[in-house]
Amino acid sequence: MPEPLGGFGRHSEPALLVLVSLAERPKHGYSMMDDIDRLTGTRLGPGTLYGAIARLEKRGFIEKLESTDRRKPYRLTHAGQDALSSQLAGLEVVVSTGLQRLATA
Amino acid sequence: MKWAALIRLYPKRWRIRYEDEMRALLEGGSVSVRDGLDLLRGALEAHLIRDLSAGPDPRSQTTLGGVMEHPVPTKRSATVAALFLCLPASFLLSVTMKYGFGYDMAFDPLESFWTFKPIEYFTVLSPLAALFLSVAPALRVSVARDGGAIKGALVVQAGAVRIAVAAVSFGMLLVFFGYFLTENIVYVRVHF
């Protein structure tokens, strides 16, 4: 089965991080950036962050919420939740296999 | 330097959708040179991948497998391609009027053509550019790995305007090529 973020190519990592960040609750760009920084120790640049947001929004994985604030919050859609679950399940197989092989090496 | 000014480099459609929140993001914290370079790269990417600026596409159907129907390209590139055809079209029209129907022109189009000014090269090359502009945005090439096999697909999504412009461009290229053959090979063999 193809990976849900497979079509994102080299952009799949920032997209995955945005999905993971939004899995907690709806967030605007600055909160996502902070959350991803705390989670991974990597600070996404503004161009990379909004590139990922645009790709995910285009695919219907996230949606913008109405807000009077200039900072617009985004939330995961059902398709985004499914895509994230599927992507993480795929990664889990890789992680567990890797750890298993390291343990027996 | 005000890094937020770099947002002006993004395409208009992108700015309509994201400019306010990007500015708010940049005003909310310190912006490094690395962020500035990241913005430049993002702006370039937004120009190169036009679909990115468009926001969610209601015609796109997202599935769990990540398959997305590509939207039909807009008519903008086809319109630009059509504009490229104006000059060669006027050239062919003036040649037909003078040599086909004997309507004397204020100038001899073929004589003026062979003076090798830049505009003449543009006349010949513009149908080629028009053909590229009309066809390229309508092509989608996808390569995916399915198990051990690599599968490729070429999809053409073109409207009537795009097909018409491509056909006219191709026709003009054939006319110019035919003229080149007649003038340089057939004529030379017959007369020399």
Side-chain angles (χ1 to χ4, degrees):
Chain A
M1 178 179 147
E3 291 178 7
L5 300 180
F8 285 66
R10 65 187 176 85
H11 305 286
S12 61
E13 192 183 326
L16 176 64
L17 293 175
V18 168
L19 289 179
V20 169
S21 178
L22 292 181
E24 184 187 22
R25 58 180 166 79
K27 292 187 181 83
H28 53 69
Y30 197 82
S31 303
M32 279 185 239
M33 216 183 228
D34 261 1
D35 186 43
I36 290 167
D37 193 0
R38 274 198 304 273
L39 186 70
T40 64
T42 306
R43 187 174 174 277
L44 292 186
T48 303
L49 176 70
Y50 272 90
I53 288 175
R55 282 184 172 82
L56 291 166
E57 206 185 359
K58 182 87 188 159
R59 294 279 288 265
F61 289 168
I62 64 173
E63 63 189 2
K64 194 185 282 198
L65 296 174
E66 284 304 317
S67 167
T68 51
D69 193 357
R70 285 171 69 203
R71 301 182 301 178
K72 308 289 181 203
Y74 290 85
R75 75 169 166 211
L76 273 188
T77 61
H78 288 302
Q81 286 174 5
D82 290 342
L84 179 59
S85 302
S86 179
Q87 187 79 9
L88 292 177
L91 287 174
E92 197 174 20
V93 172
V94 174
V95 170
S96 60
T97 306
L99 288 173
Q100 209 171 21
R101 287 178 182 175
L102 274 176
T104 55
Chain B
M1 180 180 177
K2 286 190 172 181
W3 293 108
L6 290 175
I7 297 173
R8 301 289 302 169
L9 296 176
Y10 277 79
K12 192 177 177 186
R13 286 203 304 172
W14 178 288
R15 282 186 279 121
I16 288 170
R17 190 156 189 84
Y18 299 113
E19 180 168 6
D20 252 12
E21 43 187 307
M22 283 181 89
R23 280 187 185 279
L25 175 80
L26 296 174
E27 286 161 14
S30 63
V31 183
S32 63
V33 175
R34 191 167 154 263
D35 289 335
L37 293 175
D38 190 63
L39 277 174
L40 277 177
R41 190 196 48 75
L44 180 68
E45 200 170 75
H47 278 286
L48 292 177
I49 308 172
R50 286 183 56 221
D51 280 359
L52 269 189
S53 322
D57 189 336
R59 291 172 299 182
S60 298
Q61 191 179 355
T62 307
T63 68
L64 272 180
V67 179
M68 183 175 71
E69 293 295 323
H70 291 290
V72 176
T74 62
K75 287 181 184 169
R76 191 167 70 173
S77 54
T79 311
V80 174
L83 290 175
F84 265 83
L85 294 179
C86 290
L87 190 61
S90 66
F91 172 77
L92 289 178
L93 184 69
S94 58
V95 169
T96 309
M97 293 297 278
K98 180 171 174 67
Y99 295 101
F101 299 102
Y103 290 107
D104 209 5
M105 313 287 288
F107 67 99
D108 186 320
L110 286 181
E111 285 296 322
S112 67
F113 184 80
W114 290 115
T115 50
F116 295 107
K117 290 175 186 167
I119 195 163
E120 275 77 56
Y121 290 109
F122 186 74
T123 305
V124 176
L125 292 178
S126 51
L128 201 61
L131 187 65
F132 177 78
L133 277 172
S134 55
V135 171
L139 296 180
R140 300 277 181 225
V141 180
S142 65
V143 180
R145 185 174 289 179
D146 184 11
I150 295 176
K151 290 183 177 176
L154 177 67
V155 180
V156 182
Q157 285 184 295
V161 174
R162 191 171 293 280
I163 292 169
V165 172
V168 172
S169 310
F170 188 68
M172 280 185 176
L173 281 173
L174 281 183
V175 169
F176 282 132
F177 185 65
Y179 173 74
F180 173 81
L181 282 182
T182 311
E183 181 76 358
N184 293 284
I185 298 174
V186 180
Y187 182 83
V188 171
R189 282 197 177 174
V190 170
H191 292 276
F192 296 99

